[in-house]
Amino acid sequence: MKNQLKRSFLLAIIVLILTGCSKKQVSVPEINLKVCDIHSEGYPTVVGLHEFSRLVKERSRGRINIEVIADGIEGGEEETLEMVKFGKIDFTRTSCALLPVIEPDFELLFVPGQYRDAIHFWKVIDGEIGSRMLKTLEQHSLYGLCYYDSGARSFYSNDKISSFSDLKGLKIRTQASVPMLEFINALEAKPVPMDLREVESAFRSHKIDAAENNIPSYEATGQYKVAKYYFKDEHSRIPDILVGSKKSLAALTQSDINLIFEAAQDSGAVQKMAWLEYEKTALEKVVAEGSIITTPKLDDRLKTLQKIRPLIYKHFTERQLEILNEIQNTN
């Protein structure tokens, strides 16, 4: 009886030891990462990043956690992009407008006047051309994960604009990109590169007559108070992009990297819906407060853009012109 008890006791100890070892073997440490954005909670890109984080956590069964850090706490877009490149931050959301200094071909995605409409834009961005562009970032220590919506840019002024011809001779605040400067020149207006934060005071002091941006920015910056005429021509679309650090993700398995890529791509649907709702709310607000929205006639828009396109394209290489032609022919 004593021997039987001893054997049972020893057997129980062995089972406990083996069970403990088994648990030790299957336990996997958590992976904690972070993604940054300069925008505040509730802004569409931040909504998209939270969805990205949620999907990664869900699909990794809680093993991979991505903390969303908003409000520019880690720095501006240029700073965080540089930090991601060197592995100091894992992911960041940035405007594609910053990427040509890293990979020049990204400029081809936001040349003014090349997209017929939003449908055409997303066929290019979500298609073969957009995918190739994302892939080019890998040679610069970055992963291009997905594109986010940031709407269409249009002109606005303190005087009524009802056609492209009304822009002739105006001093127009714009971004300092060569295609955009060429676009303003082609419209026989004067481009005035300027920081976004200076625009409202520039309107008040008559340093500029007009500016161009998307509806949410027009509303959020308060510029609708000094420029109530919004000419909704949608001449340019500059997508946002979610990028990851090849350096900081090097410790992950290829399976985990694939999971992150897929989650980023899938988060885009939520972000796009959030953008449409945000844009609708911003438009309703500025109209309620006195802004007058004018949409150009389709023929006027197409003829004007077709006429000035060669003037914008003149500084591109032959290879880049082939890509621009591919964009134009995407259906």
Side-chain angles (χ1 to χ4, degrees):
M1 186 62 144
K2 285 182 180 180
N3 289 336
Q4 188 176 350
L5 286 171
K6 283 181 181 179
R7 283 196 296 271
S8 298
F9 181 70
L10 287 170
L11 183 60
I13 291 174
I14 291 168
V15 169
L16 286 171
I17 291 171
L18 290 174
T19 304
C21 289
S22 175
K23 285 182 179 178
K24 207 167 190 177
Q25 288 171 352
V26 298
S27 70
V28 179
E30 286 188 355
I31 299 169
N32 296 305
L33 307 169
K34 62 183 178 181
V35 59
C36 303
D37 199 329
I38 62 167
H39 294 300
S40 302
E41 290 292 341
Y43 192 81
T45 54
V46 179
V47 172
L49 295 181
H50 278 293
E51 176 67 2
F52 168 55
S53 173
R54 186 191 71 79
L55 289 173
V56 169
K57 186 168 187 173
E58 178 183 89
R59 293 174 184 181
S60 68
R61 298 183 179 181
R63 189 168 45 82
I64 305 176
N65 299 300
I66 300 178
E67 180 186 3
V68 178
I69 302 175
D71 295 305
I73 290 173
E74 294 288 343
E77 289 187 19
E78 291 182 355
E79 292 173 89
T80 53
L81 184 58
E82 193 72 4
M83 291 167 79
V84 167
K85 190 174 180 180
F86 290 100
K88 295 180 180 179
I89 294 177
D90 307 299
F91 308 95
T92 191
R93 189 284 321 158
T94 190
S95 170
C96 272
L98 296 182
L99 295 180
V101 296
I102 298 174
E103 177 53 57
D105 282 356
F106 265 94
E107 189 173 63
L108 305 177
L109 293 182
F110 52 89
V111 173
Q114 67 179 330
Y115 298 114
R116 294 184 293 276
D117 49 31
I119 294 172
H120 178 208
F121 170 75
W122 284 112
K123 281 185 177 178
V124 171
I125 295 298
D126 286 341
E128 174 63 24
I129 298 170
S131 295
R132 288 203 314 259
M133 292 292 186
L134 292 178
K135 194 72 177 173
T136 63
L137 291 176
E138 292 190 21
Q139 61 189 317
H140 303 288
S141 301
L142 297 167
Y143 285 122
L145 300 177
C146 70
Y147 297 101
Y148 280 169
D149 198 358
S150 65
R153 300 174 75 91
S154 296
F155 293 106
Y156 48 96
S157 173
N158 47 20
D159 289 313
K160 187 176 182 180
I161 302 171
S162 55
S163 69
F164 284 99
S165 60
D166 292 336
L167 297 167
K168 185 176 179 179
L170 298 185
K171 294 173 290 185
I172 303 175
R173 180 268 169 181
T174 185
Q175 296 173 311
S177 75
V178 173
M180 198 64 214
L181 296 174
E182 295 288 0
F183 177 57
I184 302 296
N185 282 324
L187 291 170
E188 298 183 64
K190 181 181 178 182
V192 183
M194 182 183 294
D195 188 282
L196 183 63
R197 293 167 292 186
E198 300 173 24
V199 173
E200 184 176 348
S201 63
F203 267 116
R204 294 187 187 279
S205 61
H206 303 289
K207 290 181 180 177
I208 59 172
D209 307 304
E212 55 89 39
N213 216 320
N214 57 48
I215 285 280
S217 294
Y218 173 64
E219 180 273 321
T221 57
Q223 291 171 24
Y224 67 93
K225 297 174 183 176
V226 292
K228 74 173 186 176
Y229 295 100
Y230 193 91
F231 183 58
K232 199 169 181 284
D233 65 294
E234 300 188 340
H235 56 262
S236 179
R237 293 177 181 271
I238 306 177
D240 283 333
I241 184 170
L242 175 57
V243 296
S245 170
K246 285 189 73 175
K247 187 170 183 179
S248 72
L249 300 184
L252 275 62
T253 64
Q254 189 57 51
S255 176
D256 282 342
I257 291 174
N258 292 343
L259 182 153
I260 286 169
F261 263 84
E262 290 171 8
Q265 291 284 330
D266 292 344
S267 73
V270 169
Q271 192 277 332
K272 288 173 190 174
M273 289 301 296
W275 178 268
L276 291 174
E277 186 59 35
Y278 194 87
E279 192 174 58
K280 178 175 176 288
T281 301
L283 180 61
E284 289 172 349
K285 179 179 177 180
V286 297
V287 168
E289 297 199 18
S291 288
I292 297 170
I293 313 297
T294 305
T295 302
K297 293 180 180 178
L298 183 60
D299 284 349
D300 178 36
R301 182 180 185 276
L302 294 177
K303 285 178 182 178
T304 300
L305 296 179
Q306 186 174 12
K307 178 183 176 182
I308 66 178
R309 196 171 288 136
L311 300 174
I312 303 171
Y313 285 7
K314 64 185 180 182
H315 79 285
F316 290 115
T317 66
E318 187 174 337
R319 182 188 60 79
Q320 288 176 320
L321 288 172
E322 289 176 1
I323 298 172
L324 288 169
N325 188 56
E326 187 181 357
I327 289 172
Q328 283 293 307
N329 293 330
T330 298
N331 293 308

